[in-house]
Amino acid sequence: MGYELQAVIASDGVLRVGSREVPGSQVVPLGQGLSLMPMTDEVFDAVTDGSDGRDLGFWRLPGGFDSLLAQWSAAGPIAYVEAEYFGGVGEQRAAVWADGALALGPLDEPTKKRFSRAVSPISQALRRLGARRSLGEDEFEAVGLGRHRSNEDWISSSAC
């Protein structure tokens, strides 16, 4: 079974305020006061400026959206994360904006390079957002990112 995620993550308050200006956006609570906004086709279309958007190395970061994330980060740090796995092989990417500028990353790690879960790109981004892990887990697990396996699952969970 695979795992796929493209989302914006921030404190619930920061994300709810920022997402108000994005038609079709949905905010889903995670743990530790964080929430995520899945990058759906509707959100992508609402925030893109039409440029390529691959400057930072992400698969699905809309062109110009990094500028909007930088603006939102004036209210608190905000991350854009991507993960794709199938059969234990895949990749993660993450970046964090804070105080109006890119503050971490972009970080990019294929799982072929065995890295500690604690230093994975998404765990590093979550740590920058204030997430804390417990013994035997990483920040990814600590905030509950393993609860669902796709953006569609996250969106379905928010409707419940």
Side-chain angles (χ1 to χ4, degrees):
M1 180 175 264
Y3 181 91
E4 186 177 334
L5 177 69
Q6 303 90 34
V8 177
I9 301 175
S11 70
D12 188 69
V14 168
L15 197 52
R16 287 194 187 276
V17 168
S19 69
R20 284 185 195 146
E21 58 188 89
V22 180
S25 65
Q26 294 184 14
V27 176
V28 184
L30 295 170
Q32 301 189 23
L34 298 176
S35 290
L36 70 78
M37 180 183 76
M39 182 55 63
T40 64
D41 290 341
E42 188 175 359
V43 169
F44 187 98
D45 291 344
V47 298
T48 189
D49 66 4
S51 65
D52 183 340
R54 296 191 187 260
D55 299 352
L56 297 175
F58 289 96
W59 308 301
R60 191 156 166 79
L61 181 69
F65 191 42
D66 56 322
S67 296
L68 186 56
L69 293 174
Q71 289 173 20
W72 292 358
S73 77
I78 191 161
Y80 179 77
V81 302
E82 295 181 340
E84 186 172 295
Y85 292 95
F86 189 82
V89 177
E91 296 181 62
Q92 286 186 17
R93 290 179 172 80
V96 177
W97 288 261
D99 300 317
L102 186 62
L104 177 69
L107 305 171
D108 179 353
E109 285 288 337
T111 58
K112 294 175 207 158
K113 291 166 102 181
R114 291 286 169 195
F115 55 84
S116 162
R117 293 182 318 179
V119 297
S120 72
I122 293 177
S123 285
Q124 289 181 64
L126 292 169
R127 192 174 314 121
R128 184 70 187 252
L129 298 179
R132 296 292 171 245
R133 62 187 174 122
S134 298
L135 189 61
E137 69 180 0
D138 61 5
E139 290 82 0
F140 187 100
E141 295 165 318
V143 302
L145 280 175
R147 272 193 331 239
H148 301 291
R149 305 202 63 78
S150 69
N151 281 356
E152 292 79 20
D153 292 346
W154 284 105
I155 292 165
S156 294
S157 76
S158 74
C160 299

